[in-house]
Amino acid sequence: MGRCSLLLLLLLIAFLTPGAANPVSPSLRAPSSLPWSTSFRSRPTITLKYSIRYIQQKMDSSPLSHQRSPKLKCFHVDHFGFNIDRTFKQRYLIADNYWKEDGGSILFYTGNEGDIIWFCNNTGFMWDIAEEMKAMLVFAEHRYYGESLPFGADSFSDSRHLNFLTTEQALADFAKLIRYLKRTIPGARNQPVIALGGSYGGMLAAWFRMKYPHLVVGALASSAPIWQFNDLVPCDIFMKIVTTDFSQSGPNCSESIRRSWDAINRLAKKGPGLRWLSEALHLCTPLTKSQDVQRLKDWISETWVNVAMVDYPYESNFLQPLPAWPVKVVCQYFKYSNVPDTVMVQNIFQALNVYYNYSGQAKCLNVSETATSSLGVLGWSYQACTEMVMPTCSDGVDDMFEPHSWNMKEYSDDCFKQWGVRPRPSWIPTMYGGKNISSHTNIIFSNGELDPWSGGGVTKDITDTLLAIVIPNGAHHLDLRASNALDPVSVQLTRSLEVKYMKQWISDFYVRLRKMN
């Protein structure tokens, strides 16, 4: 365990355990009659003031793009080729309310797989520290997500149009944008830039520092599973952490979920089973064939994963509107593992409503949706079929899921069927070093113990400047979210440490700058 994580653990382990859940009757209720208010109660909304801007990025000159956009500032879509006569608009946000030219800094959010305004609104940490850091905030949208579509409506039409959706191209976009901002904003030229990001964006922040250390003085990589590739970590670590979250949040919770899969299977095999399941779970689209049952179970599994990821200590609406400590709330419906199959399915329905109907507005449950539409599902599907191959598996014994082995051939065939491409599972470790990253400096890797992705993250200090912070009772990039009165002390200390290190990077930058002058 790293020095920072050990410090937090020793300080907080005695008093950070959430309270026990209250029992709830397993009786079946309609989605509109759940045992909580039908109006979602989030903390008061704070208006974030930023300007939305676009930079004209250049694209490959192949005939894939049907029309040339007006030229503004020209950056390449294919930064590593030389056919550069076509452009697309890349969106970015800027907030300079607290920015100071004298001793200031630039906090640069490395956009990930979704709409950048959505990520901006869910990264309150940057806004909270902007004044203290005298910082300009920049949120850069990732190519192929949000409004930054290189080929417009044709961007996802086939693998030829998607060929430029890679981490390398995205990092080059960020590098070009920083150079452009420093060249065009008076006072920004000689200011330090720090990269910040969460989840995939956290991976990009770390990789950005590794590949462009002359542009960013450091990086905060929150919930960044940079080792969830090849055999760098066991493929079952992700599902084990999800299971631990549930087992610690209520008696018999994980065991009930483990038994629920067979209950669904048995009911599905009965004569009217598919119809009964559809009605009991209030599905928008009824189950009609046996293949639908596996799709249903996959959807339920993904739901439990998402609940674990966003197990925040307060009401939130990151993936869906949710109550505080949603895993605990879900586990209220799984107190009893030895129940009839029909009761088990009724309990599943109640638990699913915690995630899909906390607002009280849903009339039925849609198995085609698990998260906000602000996430770019198509783009990420392609990335997962090319570079971002992150193996997961389960055995149904040490975790609460059905057994599922990692089959690279099957995975590759599915990718080829969908996109006409074959994944390169070794490319990310080859490109970014895997676990051999000790030559790099000034990266903070923060991970919440509740976050399933922490299994693929850096959880121990590598060097004195590659630092790991483990957050007890912390879920997915909780430290990047806005400060909340219900935050565990662990995340408050984490943010203080992160600010301390970032201030040191900024101070070191200005010391070097003065020496040069």
Coordinates of all heavy atoms in Angstrom, one line a residue, residues 12 34 61 68 116 137 148 235 272 280 299 314 351 381 410 412 433 447 467:
L12 N -9.0 6.7 8.8 CA -10.4 6.7 8.5 C -11.1 5.3 8.7 O -12.3 5.3 8.8 CB -10.7 7.2 7.1 CG -10.1 8.5 6.8 CD1 -10.1 8.7 5.3 CD2 -10.9 9.6 7.4
L34 N -43.0 3.4 -5.6 CA -41.8 3.0 -4.9 C -41.8 3.8 -3.6 O -42.4 4.8 -3.4 CB -40.6 3.4 -5.7 CG -40.4 2.6 -7.0 CD1 -39.2 3.1 -7.8 CD2 -40.3 1.1 -6.8
S61 N -7.5 13.7 -46.3 CA -8.0 14.2 -47.5 C -8.8 13.2 -48.3 O -9.1 13.4 -49.5 CB -6.9 14.8 -48.4 OG -6.0 13.8 -48.7
R68 N -16.1 20.2 -47.4 CA -15.1 20.9 -46.6 C -15.7 22.0 -45.8 O -16.4 22.8 -46.3 CB -14.0 21.4 -47.6 CG -12.8 22.0 -46.8 CD -11.7 22.3 -47.8 NE -10.6 22.9 -47.1 CZ -9.4 23.2 -47.7 NH1 -9.3 22.8 -49.0 NH2 -8.5 23.7 -47.1
I116 N -19.1 16.7 -23.7 CA -18.2 17.4 -22.8 C -18.9 18.3 -21.8 O -18.4 18.5 -20.7 CB -17.1 18.2 -23.6 CG1 -16.0 18.7 -22.7 CG2 -17.8 19.4 -24.3 CD1 -15.3 17.6 -22.0
L137 N -10.0 27.1 -16.6 CA -10.5 25.7 -16.8 C -10.8 25.5 -18.2 O -11.4 26.3 -18.9 CB -11.8 25.5 -16.0 CG -11.7 25.8 -14.5 CD1 -13.1 25.4 -13.8 CD2 -10.6 25.1 -13.8
S148 N -18.3 16.8 -31.5 CA -17.0 16.7 -32.2 C -16.9 15.5 -33.1 O -16.1 14.6 -32.9 CB -15.8 16.8 -31.2 OG -15.9 17.9 -30.4
C235 N -8.4 -11.1 -14.9 CA -9.7 -10.7 -15.6 C -10.9 -10.7 -14.6 O -11.9 -10.0 -14.9 CB -10.0 -11.5 -16.8 SG -10.3 -13.2 -16.5
P272 N -45.6 -20.4 -19.5 CA -45.8 -19.0 -19.6 C -44.7 -18.1 -19.0 O -44.9 -17.0 -18.7 CB -47.1 -18.8 -18.9 CG -47.0 -19.8 -17.8 CD -46.3 -21.0 -18.3
A280 N -43.7 -9.3 -14.6 CA -43.2 -9.1 -13.3 C -42.1 -8.0 -13.2 O -42.0 -7.3 -12.2 CB -42.7 -10.4 -12.7
W299 N -28.3 -7.5 -19.1 CA -28.7 -6.1 -18.7 C -28.8 -5.9 -17.2 O -28.3 -4.9 -16.6 CB -30.1 -5.9 -19.3 CG -30.8 -4.6 -18.9 CD1 -30.5 -3.3 -19.2 CD2 -32.0 -4.5 -18.1 NE1 -31.4 -2.5 -18.7 CE2 -32.3 -3.2 -18.0 CE3 -32.8 -5.5 -17.5 CZ2 -33.4 -2.8 -17.2 CZ3 -33.9 -5.1 -16.7 CH2 -34.2 -3.7 -16.6
Y314 N -24.3 10.5 -1.5 CA -25.4 11.4 -1.5 C -26.2 11.2 -2.8 O -25.8 10.4 -3.7 CB -24.9 12.9 -1.6 CG -23.7 13.0 -2.5 CD1 -23.9 13.1 -3.9 CD2 -22.4 13.1 -2.0 CE1 -22.8 13.3 -4.8 CE2 -21.3 13.2 -2.9 CZ -21.5 13.3 -4.2 OH -20.5 13.4 -5.1
A351 N -35.4 -4.0 -6.8 CA -34.0 -3.5 -6.8 C -33.7 -2.7 -8.1 O -33.0 -1.7 -8.1 CB -33.0 -4.7 -6.6
S381 N -18.0 1.5 -28.3 CA -18.1 0.1 -28.9 C -16.9 -0.1 -29.9 O -16.3 -1.2 -29.9 CB -19.4 -0.1 -29.5 OG -19.4 -1.4 -30.2
E410 N -13.7 -15.3 -29.5 CA -15.2 -14.9 -29.6 C -15.3 -13.4 -29.6 O -16.2 -12.9 -30.3 CB -15.9 -15.6 -28.4 CG -17.4 -15.3 -28.4 CD -18.0 -15.9 -27.1 OE1 -17.9 -17.2 -27.0 OE2 -18.7 -15.2 -26.4
S412 N -13.1 -11.2 -30.6 CA -12.7 -10.7 -31.9 C -13.7 -10.9 -33.0 O -13.9 -10.0 -33.8 CB -11.3 -11.3 -32.2 OG -10.9 -10.9 -33.5
G433 N 3.3 1.5 -22.1 CA 4.2 1.0 -21.2 C 3.7 -0.1 -20.2 O 4.5 -0.6 -19.5
N447 N -8.0 6.2 -6.6 CA -9.0 5.1 -6.8 C -9.8 5.0 -5.6 O -9.3 4.9 -4.5 CB -8.3 3.8 -7.2 CG -7.8 3.7 -8.6 OD1 -8.5 3.5 -9.5 ND2 -6.5 4.0 -8.7
L467 N 2.2 8.7 -7.7 CA 1.6 8.6 -6.4 C 0.2 7.9 -6.6 O -0.5 8.2 -7.5 CB 1.5 9.9 -5.7 CG 2.8 10.7 -5.6 CD1 2.5 12.1 -5.2 CD2 3.6 10.0 -4.5

